[in-house]
Amino acid sequence: MTDVIEDSVMTAFGRDVTYDVFYDEVAVRELGASAANPLAYKTADVVPTILVTIHREPASGDEALVRTWMAALKDSDMLRHAEVHVDYVAKNGEILNDGTPLILSF
């Protein structure tokens, strides 16, 4: 599943971005899913948190860009639900945008 998300992140935001995907460990254990069966994540009602770090200052079209990317994930049936946090961090590690992330969900 993370390979699919990685491709979509790179397509939407370019190469100057990093990301992490987190699932609630308890919910995954209850589901009985494993990395060997990534379809279980997709079909279950387990909501991942996707942390996207963009290595630049925020731009005015970022929220629309993130919403378009989220819609593509949902429309292509990659994910049913997700919470997305977008942080802005300079390449030298300096936190930009006063550390306030853009948080959206679907």
Side-chain angles (χ1 to χ4, degrees), residues 40 88 90 96-97:
Y88 298 91
L96 306 172
N97 198 36

Side-chain angles (χ1 to χ4, degrees), residues 85-103:
H85 294 233
V86 180
D87 290 312
Y88 298 91
V89 179
K91 288 185 181 182
N92 67 3
E94 176 187 357
I95 296 173
L96 306 172
N97 198 36
D98 297 323
T100 305
L102 173 62
I103 301 173

